[in-house]
Amino acid sequence: MNDTEMEILQGTISAVVFQNYENGYAVLRLAAQDGNTVTVVGTIPMPSVGEQLMVTGRWGNHSGYGRQFEAEFLERLLPQTESQILAFLSGRAVKGIGPKTAGRIVSRFGAKTLEIMEREPEQLAQVPGISPAKAKAIGEEFRLRTGVRRLMEFFAQHDLDAQLAVRVYRMYGEGATDLLYDDPYLLMEEGLDASFGAVDRFAISLGVAGDDRRRVEAGILFELRYNLTAGHSFLPKEKLAAATAQLLSVDVDTVNAGLDRLAEGERVVPETLAGIPVIYLPELAEAEAYTAMRLLQFAADHKKTPPDLDKMVRIAASESGLTYSAQQEQAIRDAASCGVLVVTGGPGTGKTSIVNGILSLFDQMGVECQLAAPTGRAAKRLTEVTGREASTIHRLLEAGIDPNTGMMYFAKDESNPLKAGAIVVDEMSMVDISLLSQLLHAIPAGKRLILVGDPDQLPPVGPGFPFGDMLRSEALPTVRLTEIFRQARESLIVMNAHRINQGQMPDLRDRKRDFFFLPCRSEQEVGATIAGLCATRLPKNMGIPSGEIQVLSPTRKGGVGTGNLNVLLQNALNPASSEKRERKYRDFAFREGDRVMQIRNNYDIPWKKTDGTAVGSGIYNGDIGVITAIELEQELVRVVFDDRAAEYDFTMLEELEPAYAITVHKSQGSEYRAVILSCWGGSPYLLNRSVLYTAVTRARELLILVGREDTVGAMVNNAKVGRRYTGLKLRLQGKTKC
């Protein structure tokens, strides 16, 4: 393109050729005041047909697209006349308003329409077809859209992530820009997920000094929060100070002064663990201390053993049709007398039988029981194996999002506790310290708590490893299951899982059972083999539909990472068609018929049962569904999760990922009829024993490893799991000092 003199164009958007929802880049057709229609390109967030712009930029010539105007600055001009407003709203500038509704609104309010929508949206209910609820929603959408667009333009000017604008606007509202000029590090507040590097560059551009108190304190808090992603509940003070000093290029004394100020303001909590000074975020210090206190209280609450316990155990065995092993019977007996009981063991050791036996025992004792698991799929599986309703822990606690703050809250707590006499939690290895603390807040003294899990699975995504800490502390009543039952021994999946856990190579030569290894000579061959297995070989030869096959990978990146595998599998299982609408987002084109996964907890997404019998809200991290419709004009994606149908507008697509292939970490708590695991190369951090063990134990009927035998061996031999700084074990053992 050839630079020319700066010019100003004014006109009306006649068409939006392209827009990138992530960075605000757009290609527009602008009907200019001189009567010509021109192509305008540049950062123009959320453009709408009918919108008026004043654009400052330069003309250039693109080798492929010809002459176009490159926008460098722009000013949005709200339409003034009735005809302009009608054109603006008819172009679906505001979600919920189409051409017909736009006509009725403008006919009623005329040139004051936009003022009414922004300041007095309740008046829109005067228009036929608009309810008070819809009027409110239209007003909120209009204010959000205009406010977010202004913020996106501001962010683009300062090289900040445009997608951040939505979250910032929801947190700070109309005054966000002024607040950020005063303290740019407000962008680092929890929940905004801003890049510290980008925010720091923005702050420095505003003249913030390198040793500014705001910068130093924001850097410390960033390091603490960043390390939550590695599972740490705290950081040793010396390590935190050194890391922050390096991050900010300041001396350690400056950082320590910042730590003192943060401690005085109660924004961090200094403690001593095993003689080492450490620093917590307040919420995590409180979570660990409270969890330890409550677990020890439950452990000290010895229940009176029912006089007919022997008979109750026999009845439980009879109902299940099993003969309990000594370990299983002991676990069921302990459940009758313990306030808290930890049950742990690998696959095939009878954890499910124990849970069912304990439930039968509690039924006989008249103890009401509630079942829970960390994820929706884990809860569904718990329901299937027990025949009783189970929920996610979040749903059990009635989690929600405060619309004013955007922060999570739990309706169930000390003032509104759970009513059941016993709580059984499965897949405890996935539960982080924050969630366990919230659960314990909602369980009154005197109740019973049964915690079940396998500590050799991957640790929680969030901070801490409470299940592992409980076991290592030896401070709580615990039953460790070691016996593998005969039926389980017939499964090569189970036997190889135990071999892997013991540091032994799995049997890759037996092709007569349920565990197979398919060697490949290249990444391309791995991808092609996996696609062929899902598309034809397993459905045709083994009667396993592609929808019941889950592909796993230790990594997201590379030729055998989930990113590339999802593209290959989409092409094989759901290829592009003129009959299927799609919407590109980042590196993937979401298409009708695609399998997708929700990647964060969202408690506000409304859903309704596909049979129309019920409605509710909340789609959770790990929920897998299928895209049933993409409405391009309404900018909506409809997804069905099992029997729940939900809608996502295009700005929410960051919450979805393709799910033909998912990471092993994302598969935790789930079980699939058939699992295919890609085993090629990658980071030793990801290619470890826990990842392999977790992947293998996700398969119910069939497990296929595809790739290199030496990679399988490397994973078995790599027993290193990133060390987590957690204090729960020491707190349970009474080895802490404030």
Side-chain angles (χ1 to χ4, degrees):
M1 297 188 181
N2 299 315
D3 289 343
T4 62
E5 296 294 325
M6 294 284 282
E7 291 188 27
I8 297 176
L9 286 182
Q10 185 172 335
T12 304
I13 299 175
S14 59
V16 179
V17 180
F18 171 80
Q19 60 175 314
N20 186 317
Y21 284 85
E22 296 177 70
N23 59 23
Y25 181 82
V27 180
L28 313 174
R29 297 289 287 168
L30 189 75
Q33 287 183 324
D34 62 5
N36 294 316
T37 299
V38 300
T39 299
V40 179
V41 302
T43 302
I44 309 171
M46 303 170 71
S48 300
V49 172
E51 186 178 7
Q52 296 186 57
L53 300 179
M54 182 180 291
V55 188
T56 303
R58 293 181 173 88
W59 288 102
N61 286 294
H62 191 281
S63 58
Y65 299 104
R67 194 167 187 254
Q68 54 190 29
F69 192 80
E70 304 168 30
E72 295 189 20
F73 307 98
L74 69 94
E75 181 181 353
R76 297 180 187 269
L77 306 172
L78 286 176
Q80 301 296 317
T81 68
E82 289 188 24
S83 60
Q84 290 172 343
I85 294 171
L86 179 61
F88 174 64
L89 294 178
S90 297
R92 301 188 183 277
V94 180
K95 189 169 66 176
I97 300 180
K100 292 183 179 179
T101 303
R104 292 196 294 268
I105 293 174
V106 175
S107 177
R108 173 65 180 85
F109 298 108
K112 292 186 176 181
T113 293
L114 298 184
E115 182 182 345
I116 293 292
M117 290 173 61
E118 183 173 10
R119 299 179 181 179
E120 300 177 86
E122 64 277 1
Q123 291 197 39
L124 296 175
Q126 300 174 21
V127 177
I130 299 181
S131 66
K134 186 174 181 179
K136 181 181 178 183
I138 288 173
E140 290 175 350
E141 174 66 19
F142 182 70
R143 288 192 296 270
L144 174 65
R145 193 173 184 91
T146 54
V148 168
R149 287 193 303 193
R150 287 193 291 269
L151 266 181
M152 290 180 81
E153 292 161 7
F154 172 76
F155 283 7
Q157 294 170 11
H158 295 282
D159 295 323
L160 294 168
D161 181 8
Q163 283 294 301
L164 183 63
V166 178
R167 299 190 291 273
V168 172
Y169 184 85
R170 292 189 185 278
M171 182 173 289
Y172 297 122
E174 290 286 345
T177 302
D178 291 337
L179 288 171
L180 294 179
Y181 272 122
D182 184 59
D183 184 1
Y185 293 100
L186 290 174
L187 288 172
M188 297 309 303
E189 287 296 317
E190 189 176 6
L192 293 180
D193 300 325
S195 161
F196 181 83
V199 173
D200 199 40
R201 288 190 294 273
F202 167 52
I204 291 171
S205 74
L206 297 181
V208 175
D211 60 354
D212 186 284
R213 294 170 55 137
R214 296 168 299 176
R215 182 172 187 257
V216 173
E217 291 168 15
I220 293 169
L221 294 173
F222 165 74
E223 283 289 347
L224 280 171
R225 291 187 180 123
Y226 176 78
N227 277 279
L228 297 183
T229 62
H232 301 307
S233 298
F234 65 84
L235 286 179
K237 182 179 180 181
E238 185 177 350
K239 288 183 177 290
L240 173 60
T244 307
Q246 183 177 9
L247 173 72
L248 304 178
S249 298
V250 299
D251 58 61
V252 171
D253 289 341
T254 299
V255 176
N256 283 327
L259 276 168
D260 290 341
R261 291 192 300 271
L262 288 170
E264 289 172 8
E266 299 183 348
R267 299 179 69 191
V268 301
V269 177
E271 294 196 23
T272 300
L273 297 178
I276 300 173
V278 304
I279 303 293
Y280 282 89
L281 290 169
E283 60 270 23
L284 290 177
E286 192 278 335
E288 264 196 8
Y290 183 83
T291 296
M293 178 192 70
R294 293 301 315 282
L295 287 175
L296 292 172
Q297 287 177 346
F298 279 110
D301 183 16
H302 302 290
K303 307 292 186 180
K304 186 177 180 180
T305 302
D308 51 353
L309 180 59
D310 291 342
K311 180 181 177 182
M312 290 179 174
V313 174
R314 288 196 299 271
I315 291 173
S318 176
E319 289 176 350
S320 65
L322 299 174
T323 299
Y324 292 132
S325 71
Q327 288 178 335
Q328 289 178 311
E329 183 172 327
Q330 187 59 53
I332 296 169
R333 288 178 172 275
D334 287 349
S337 58
C338 294
V340 60
L341 179 65
V342 180
V343 179
T344 183
T349 57
K351 293 193 299 294
T352 298
S353 298
I354 287 175
V355 170
N356 281 320
I358 290 173
L359 293 175
S360 173
L361 176 69
F362 286 165
D363 286 344
Q364 297 176 64
M365 295 171 60
V367 176
E368 182 186 357
C369 190
Q370 287 183 294
L371 280 65
T375 67
R377 294 189 68 84
K380 182 182 178 183
R381 179 168 167 261
L382 185 58
T383 296
E384 292 169 351
V385 299
T386 63
R388 306 179 187 225
E389 183 180 356
S391 70
T392 65
I393 298 174
H394 288 87
R395 185 170 293 175
L396 180 70
L397 300 178
E398 299 178 12
I401 298 292
D402 188 322
N404 298 317
T405 65
M407 303 299 290
M408 184 190 308
Y409 70 87
F410 295 90
K412 292 294 184 181
D413 56 18
E414 293 95 339
S415 61
N416 182 29
L418 298 169
K419 304 298 185 186
I423 308 296
V424 176
V425 183
D426 196 16
E427 296 289 352
M428 268 298 300
S429 64
M430 298 178 64
V431 180
D432 64 35
I433 190 66
S434 300
L435 185 56
L436 180 57
S437 172
Q438 291 294 340
L439 176 63
L440 293 172
H441 274 283
I443 304 176
K447 306 296 184 180
R448 303 168 187 265
L449 185 60
I450 310 296
L451 305 174
V452 184
D454 181 351
D456 296 313
Q457 303 282 351
L458 288 167
V461 174
F465 190 13
F467 194 62
D469 282 347
M470 291 179 208
L471 294 171
R472 287 190 293 270
S473 75
E474 300 184 347
L476 307 175
T478 300
V479 175
R480 300 174 188 267
L481 304 174
T482 56
E483 181 181 349
I484 304 173
F485 289 89
R486 180 183 60 79
Q487 186 175 1
R489 290 198 299 271
E490 295 174 358
S491 166
L492 198 56
I493 293 173
V494 172
M495 298 311 297
N496 275 340
H498 283 277
R499 289 178 64 86
I500 291 166
N501 199 28
Q502 294 163 11
Q504 302 174 25
M505 194 70 176
D507 184 351
L508 304 181
R509 304 289 181 259
D510 190 332
R511 294 180 173 267
K512 299 179 181 179
R513 287 193 274 177
D514 53 6
F515 190 110
F516 300 90
F517 172 70
L518 301 181
C520 294
R521 293 168 292 183
S522 68
E523 289 186 336
Q524 292 74 17
E525 187 181 354
V526 172
T529 299
I530 290 174
L533 286 167
C534 293
T536 56
R537 293 170 65 178
L538 294 187
K540 182 179 179 180
N541 299 332
M542 302 191 70
I544 302 177
S546 57
E548 297 183 29
I549 304 167
Q550 184 60 63
V551 175
L552 303 180
S553 174
T555 181
R556 293 178 176 274
K557 300 178 180 179
V560 294
T562 58
N564 191 54
L565 287 175
N566 272 309
V567 174
L568 292 174
L569 290 166
Q570 184 190 45
N571 291 335
L573 301 173
N574 189 34
S577 163
S578 59
E579 298 179 355
K580 297 177 183 177
R581 288 164 291 190
E582 60 182 56
R583 175 71 193 180
K584 192 173 187 309
Y585 183 75
R586 293 180 176 166
D587 297 325
F588 190 82
F590 288 106
R591 185 175 298 148
E592 292 174 336
D594 276 342
R595 186 194 303 180
V596 294
M597 173 184 281
Q598 174 76 14
I599 60 171
R600 64 184 61 167
N601 292 325
N602 188 325
Y603 308 98
D604 292 336
I605 296 180
W607 54 259
K608 57 184 178 182
K609 289 287 187 73
T610 52
D611 61 6
T613 59
V615 297
S617 65
I619 304 295
Y620 303 103
N621 184 11
D623 286 353
I624 291 179
V626 175
I627 295 176
T628 57
I630 296 178
E631 303 292 346
L632 296 175
E633 287 191 358
Q634 300 179 45
E635 299 187 349
L636 287 176
V637 176
R638 293 190 171 89
V639 184
V640 173
F641 299 90
D642 295 324
D643 60 349
R644 296 170 296 151
E647 292 184 347
Y648 294 73
D649 66 47
F650 286 177
T651 63
M652 298 169 62
L653 289 179
E654 64 179 358
E655 298 192 15
L656 294 175
E657 283 186 353
Y660 297 105
I662 64 176
T663 64
V664 177
H665 286 77
K666 284 292 186 182
S667 74
Q668 284 182 271
S670 300
E671 189 178 79
Y672 312 96
R673 185 177 176 184
V675 168
I676 301 171
L677 175 67
S678 82
C679 298
W680 194 252
S683 166
Y685 178 77
L686 295 171
L687 299 180
N688 61 55
R689 187 184 300 171
S690 290
V691 169
L692 181 60
Y693 176 78
T694 299
V696 169
T697 55
R698 299 308 91 198
R700 187 169 64 251
E701 295 181 16
L702 178 67
L703 188 287
I704 303 177
L705 305 182
V706 182
R708 291 165 36 182
E709 185 170 342
D710 62 341
T711 297
V712 178
M715 295 178 78
V716 171
N717 293 327
N718 181 11
K720 295 181 180 178
V721 178
R723 178 187 175 187
R724 294 189 171 204
Y725 292 115
T726 69
L728 182 61
K729 171 190 168 183
L730 295 174
R731 294 180 189 276
L732 289 170
Q733 295 174 333
K735 299 179 180 178
T736 62
K737 181 182 176 183
C738 295

